[in-house]
Amino acid sequence: MGSLNVSIVTPDGPVYEGVAQMVIARTKAGELGILSGHVPLVAPLKIDIVRLKVESGEEWVAVNGGFMEVNGEEVNILADTAEREQDIDIDRAEKAKQRAEEELSRAKEQKVDEVMARLALQRAINRIHAKEHN
């Protein structure tokens, strides 16, 4: 099995640079598994986990939207925000989840900003999932 050069970058800078045997990401069209030699594509990403199959096992990165570009032997992800599982502060993520749930509850009562509250909740849950997958 060949390898892929993988780069995950946010507006704040690089989050991951390395080599993987496979990249699994959830796009707006569904989940994609990318192997070496994959046809070129550009796909919008959902708020979800990007799983990187590496020699030592698997690495998870919580990605909050963006785009994935595949070009044969390279996968470049341009994400709105992203965090590697080892960089996630679980206490901070849990507090963000709680705040988002409270905002969502208030938004439903007041019928305002429900979409923003749902997105905040989805991002918090995504980070928690990435950190606790083991």
Side-chain angles (χ1 to χ4, degrees), residues 13-25:
V15 172
Y16 180 90
E17 296 281 340
V19 176
Q21 283 65 51
M22 183 176 195
V23 176
I24 302 165

Side-chain angles (χ1 to χ4, degrees), residues 33-112:
I34 308 296
L35 296 170
S36 177
H38 195 284
V39 296
L41 70 85
V42 174
L45 296 174
K46 292 183 106 178
I47 295 172
D48 209 327
I49 305 299
V50 171
R51 296 182 357 233
L52 306 165
K53 303 271 186 174
V54 296
E55 283 189 19
S56 60
E58 200 170 81
E59 291 198 39
W60 285 30
V61 181
V63 173
N64 295 316
F67 289 88
M68 175 174 63
E69 174 195 33
V70 177
N71 187 1
E73 307 305 317
E74 290 184 347
V75 175
N76 297 302
I77 294 176
L78 308 170
D80 299 334
T81 62
E83 287 180 272
R84 294 174 73 166
E85 64 183 294
Q86 63 263 34
D87 298 331
I88 294 171
D89 179 340
I90 193 67
D91 291 331
R92 193 173 130 241
E94 290 283 357
K95 288 176 185 170
K97 177 180 177 258
Q98 184 177 0
R99 277 193 313 273
E101 288 171 337
E102 290 168 3
E103 286 178 28
L104 184 57
S105 178
R106 278 196 305 276
K108 284 182 177 180
E109 292 169 9
Q110 299 171 2
K111 302 210 186 286
V112 294

